[in-house]
Amino acid sequence: ATVSWAIDQKCVLENGKPFQWFVGEQIIPLDRQLKEYFRGKDYQQFLKETMSQYRYTLDEEKWAEKSKNIDLTGPGRC
């Protein structure tokens, strides 16, 4: 929940700029061939290369200020 609030308050940075959440389609690979594809060398290499292009950080100063007005212990908090 804290990370979600930090993103909402523009306190999470992606490569030094405010991270903007986006919605995209997702899948769960249940088929054996699809599982093998995602475990495969080519896909794992693609994943490593893609991940290396992004760095996420928390603007701690901004979050400290913004989080003062958010009840992180209220309903829905586990």
Side-chain angles (χ1 to χ4, degrees):
T2 302
V3 173
S4 294
W5 275 110
I7 291 170
D8 180 72
Q9 297 298 307
K10 311 241 184 301
C11 297
V12 174
L13 306 175
E14 177 184 70
N15 298 335
K17 297 177 183 174
F19 173 69
Q20 181 66 42
W21 183 258
F22 61 93
V23 177
E25 293 185 22
Q26 299 180 10
I27 65 167
I28 297 174
L30 300 176
D31 180 77
R32 181 183 54 78
Q33 288 180 321
L34 197 51
K35 286 179 184 180
E36 288 175 6
Y37 169 76
F38 285 115
R39 290 181 185 138
K41 185 175 112 178
D42 290 341
Y43 182 79
Q44 291 299 311
Q45 182 63 35
F46 166 76
L47 185 60
K48 286 180 186 179
E49 290 171 7
T50 300
M51 288 176 61
S52 72
Q53 297 173 22
Y54 297 92
R55 179 169 173 83
Y56 296 90
T57 55
L58 175 65
D59 184 333
E60 294 182 42
E61 191 174 308
K62 186 175 181 180
W63 174 241
E65 184 61 35
K66 295 275 191 171
S67 64
K68 290 178 186 176
N69 301 317
I70 301 171
D71 180 5
L72 296 172
T73 63
R77 181 79 172 144
C78 297

